[in-house]
Amino acid sequence: MKQSEIKELSVAELQEKLGETKKSYSDMKLTHAISPLENPIQLRSARRIVARIATELTKRELQ
C-alpha cells in the first residue's frame, strides 16, 4: 500500500486497515518463527505499511 493510497482513506478506514494489517503482520511473524516463510521480505513490507498508516493517523490527529 502506497502513501498516496493511504492519504485517500478516511480516519475510520485507516483505523480498520491498521487493525487488519497489524493482525496480518503478527500472524506472519508467528508463522515465520515456526517454519520460515517462502518470502521473508513480506514481514518488512507489512511492518512498513503499519508504520505508514500509524504515521498518517498521528498526522491527522495533530491537525
Side-chain angles (χ1 to χ4, degrees):
M1 178 171 254
K2 295 186 177 188
Q3 189 65 28
S4 59
E5 296 171 350
I6 292 173
K7 286 183 179 182
E8 294 173 359
L9 299 175
S10 70
V11 174
E13 291 172 328
L14 284 174
Q15 289 172 340
E16 180 181 332
K17 197 72 158 164
L18 182 63
E20 292 172 5
T21 311
K22 277 186 175 181
K23 182 172 177 2
S24 170
Y25 174 66
S26 64
D27 290 345
M28 276 195 289
K29 246 175 45 171
L30 182 63
T31 303
H32 186 64
I34 296 170
S35 64
L37 290 173
E38 189 172 311
N39 185 3
I41 302 299
Q42 292 172 336
L43 288 170
R44 179 172 44 183
S45 174
R47 188 173 62 241
R48 288 181 177 178
I49 291 171
V50 168
R52 282 188 188 114
I53 294 172
T55 301
E56 183 66 27
L57 279 172
T58 304
K59 181 179 161 187
R60 290 184 186 188
E61 286 176 6
L62 294 175
Q63 287 181 347

